Amino acid sequence: MEFRAPFFNEFGEIWSKQDGYRLARTLSPEIPTEQLRRVFMSQNAHEIRNTLKRGLQGNAALVGGIEHVEVQGWVEVYAAYWNAAGVILAARESGSDDSKSSQLLWTKVYEAWTELLNLLLRGYQNAGFEAWTIPCLYVVSKNLRIFAIMADEERNSKIPIDESAANLQDDFDPESNKRQKLEDCARVLGRVFNLCQADRAPIEESRKWGSYYIANLLLKTYFRLNSASLSKNILNSLRAGRGDMPDFSAFPKSQQVTFKYHQGVLAFLEENYGEAEQHLTDAWRLCHKNAMRNKELILTYLIPCHLITSHTLPTEKLLEPYPRLQKLFLPLCRCIKRGELHKFDLALQEGEDEFVKRRIYLTLERGRDIALRNLLRKVFIARGFEEAKEGEKPVRRSRVPVAEFAAAISLGSQEKIDNDEVECLLANMIYKGHMKGYISRQHGIVVLSKSGAFPGTGV
């Protein structure tokens, strides 16, 4: 794309067809460097606005179909895009230029792209940009987030944290200092979201159709900032305006999947596992069969949800297409299924870094209760049946010495567990509903129910 006659003809054709996604591609920075260079070299700073104004106003397809104020709005937007193209070009080519290696070039890219987005927002607010052009907001907003991340990474790699500043300011947060541009990006994206939500035009031509795309960008940004709690404002806004919004099912499935996924993860972090399971299951059901990365992300939280809500484990067949998930979950699942407590602790410890990073460690740790239940169930089954009279059905022995449970729990561990600690574990299992029975401390036995001693397991 160059800002010459072919571009103005293309713009006129796009306008006549009201093709928002094609229009958005004319504002994309995701083009080869050589093509980006042609964009920037096609004009200069003194002529860019005049060239754009003459080209747009003189295009036959646009005459009479676009207001003067709207033309001026697009002139400003494309002039900002031209300027950003030059800055992006400099940043891309800086790798081979030692004189530029110390400059914060991606920070300049972020600032130039922010100006582009601000002018685009101004076009919707003051210049009458129509709703069919909303994909332009998608492309510019998505890349603003990308440039913010790159700018922060560049800055953190070149500028060390000022320790003296840290000593002088009690509220100095080194982590916050590392993500300044992404935090600023979140504020800008919040304005874009409000622009979409506040539109009062008829639903057929409303900017509300952009709400979920921008909401998903905001949610991803908040998660990266470890500020997931801020996501509630987005969810509350969408919930409050639901009556004026198109039906959720009318939005593209990709947007539905992303939104349901974030809803599920938020509920998961709040330990509302039933709600989390529902949202994540919806996301899994809607997800495209070939979107393996997305399905892997959904399963990362859906598997722990199932473990808590229904005590079910993933099958090897389910995890077969996902090597990373196999490495994470299969060792734990085998230990839970076999009731191997010591090996469960080792598997949890081995995957601790990844579990903590994904914020699923504490949830998976609760799987120890299921492993313990399975171990106690094995001890109960091993005791066999009481002698039955002729014609009567055999009944399992319901009295199990605490010492037998203690011996089973100590297997594989170098530390011997005493009976008092075992009784505490058993009392917790009964309290949580994993066992039915009571402890007789006087006789050192556990009396288990003869019907359903371990609910949900068939024993």
Side-chain angles (χ1 to χ4, degrees):
M1 182 189 77
E2 299 175 42
F3 291 123
R4 302 186 190 278
F7 165 73
F8 300 121
N9 292 334
E10 181 186 9
F11 189 90
E13 183 181 341
I14 290 171
W15 200 268
S16 63
K17 295 180 179 179
Q18 296 195 345
D19 188 342
Y21 285 95
R22 187 177 168 190
L23 182 64
R25 288 196 291 272
T26 67
L27 290 172
S28 174
E30 300 173 273
I31 55 177
T33 299
E34 189 56 40
Q35 188 176 345
L36 194 67
R37 184 180 290 107
R38 288 200 300 271
V39 171
F40 186 64
M41 297 301 293
S42 66
Q43 295 297 328
N44 61 62
H46 297 292
E47 293 295 327
I48 181 64
R49 284 179 173 79
N50 289 333
T51 301
L52 286 166
K53 190 172 183 179
R54 285 195 304 268
L56 293 178
Q57 288 182 336
N59 188 276
L62 296 174
V63 173
I66 184 170
E67 299 291 335
H68 173 77
V69 66
E70 194 168 358
V71 168
Q72 191 58 42
W74 286 110
V75 166
E76 294 300 325
V77 166
Y78 280 108
Y81 176 74
W82 174 85
N83 179 65
V87 186
I88 294 169
L89 192 63
R92 285 185 183 179
E93 295 177 340
S94 65
S96 58
D97 189 345
D98 293 336
S99 66
K100 295 181 180 179
S101 61
S102 61
Q103 299 178 32
L104 297 177
L105 294 176
W106 287 108
T107 297
K108 294 180 180 178
V109 169
Y110 173 76
E111 291 168 353
W113 204 256
T114 301
E115 178 62 15
L116 170 59
L117 183 51
N118 285 334
L119 288 168
L120 193 58
L121 288 175
R122 197 175 301 163
Y124 287 100
Q125 292 166 332
N126 302 327
F129 287 6
E130 298 179 44
W132 65 266
T133 65
I134 284 175
C136 294
L137 278 177
Y138 298 170
V139 167
V140 177
S141 296
K142 180 187 76 170
N143 284 285
L144 183 75
R145 180 177 179 274
I146 293 170
F147 292 146
I149 293 169
M150 295 173 73
D152 284 337
E153 289 176 351
E154 174 189 60
R155 185 176 186 275
N156 296 333
S157 67
K158 295 179 180 178
I159 300 181
I161 295 173
D162 186 348
E163 295 295 338
S164 61
N167 293 330
L168 290 172
Q169 294 177 260
D170 292 337
D171 60 351
F172 180 80
D173 181 1
E175 290 303 315
S176 176
N177 196 45
K178 290 181 179 180
R179 53 191 187 226
Q180 286 181 348
K181 296 305 179 187
L182 193 59
E183 289 178 345
D184 182 70
C185 174
R187 288 189 286 271
V188 176
L189 291 178
R191 289 170 51 211
V192 180
F193 178 73
N194 291 334
L195 175 80
C196 293
Q197 281 290 92
D199 194 9
R200 293 294 176 262
I203 204 65
E204 299 79 15
E205 52 191 51
S206 173
R207 292 191 298 265
K208 287 183 183 292
W209 285 101
S211 294
Y212 279 104
Y213 186 97
I214 303 302
N216 287 334
L217 276 181
L218 265 172
L219 293 172
K220 287 173 67 175
T221 304
Y222 288 146
F223 272 63
R224 191 177 183 94
L225 290 169
N226 289 323
S227 301
S229 58
L230 294 175
S231 303
K232 290 183 179 179
N233 297 332
I234 303 300
L235 299 184
N236 291 337
S237 178
L238 289 169
R239 195 176 296 117
R242 188 175 297 166
D244 299 324
M245 289 277 290
D247 190 78
F248 183 67
S249 61
F251 287 84
K253 279 192 177 180
S254 59
Q255 296 180 24
Q256 294 181 48
V257 170
T258 305
F259 187 73
K260 282 290 183 181
Y261 166 76
H262 284 108
Q263 268 191 306
V265 175
L266 280 170
F268 181 93
L269 296 178
E270 294 174 349
E271 300 185 6
N272 190 344
Y273 297 113
E275 182 182 339
E277 184 177 36
Q278 179 183 340
H279 291 310
L280 291 168
T281 301
D282 289 343
W284 174 266
R285 179 176 52 82
L286 291 165
C287 194
H288 192 280
K289 63 180 181 179
N290 295 328
M292 303 305 291
R293 172 59 177 162
N294 291 345
K295 295 177 83 170
E296 181 178 295
L297 287 172
I298 294 167
L299 284 177
T300 300
Y301 296 93
L302 188 54
I303 287 171
C305 277
H306 283 321
L307 179 62
I308 297 298
T309 59
S310 57
H311 303 162
T312 54
L313 301 172
T315 62
E316 292 191 17
K317 183 178 179 181
L318 174 67
L319 296 180
E320 188 176 349
Y322 312 102
R324 187 185 70 85
L325 295 185
Q326 289 183 46
K327 184 179 178 181
L328 279 180
F329 291 123
L330 281 183
L332 283 175
C333 291
R334 292 190 186 107
C335 296
I336 291 173
K337 193 171 184 179
R338 297 169 185 169
E340 297 173 332
L341 288 182
H342 182 61
K343 290 184 178 179
F344 174 88
D345 293 337
L346 292 177
L348 193 65
Q349 183 178 350
E350 185 175 341
E352 182 176 355
D353 290 343
E354 186 67 17
F355 295 147
V356 170
K357 178 183 175 182
R358 298 291 175 186
R359 289 171 282 195
I360 59 176
Y361 179 86
L362 294 177
T363 305
L364 291 174
E365 191 178 35
R366 297 184 184 184
R368 197 175 194 277
D369 285 344
I370 313 303
L372 178 57
R373 181 203 66 182
N374 291 342
L375 176 62
L376 301 178
R377 178 175 173 269
K378 283 185 175 183
V379 174
F380 178 64
I381 292 173
R383 289 192 58 78
F385 296 89
E386 296 177 358
E387 292 184 10
K389 295 180 181 179
E390 188 176 346
E392 292 183 355
K393 188 177 180 180
V395 178
R396 289 196 179 278
R397 292 188 174 93
S398 60
R399 297 169 179 264
V400 183
V402 172
E404 290 189 15
F405 284 134
I409 293 170
S410 298
L411 282 175
S413 176
Q414 296 180 350
E415 297 181 6
K416 186 176 180 181
I417 188 169
D418 59 39
N419 283 1
D420 287 341
E421 190 173 347
V422 173
E423 287 179 4
C424 181
L425 289 173
L426 295 173
N428 279 330
M429 295 298 286
I430 293 170
Y431 173 75
K432 293 175 181 178
H434 296 311
M435 291 173 58
K436 286 177 68 176
Y438 64 91
I439 302 170
S440 175
R441 297 202 67 190
Q442 183 178 356
H443 299 95
I445 62 170
V446 181
V447 182
L448 293 167
S449 171
K450 292 184 178 181
S451 58
F454 294 88
T457 67
V459 175

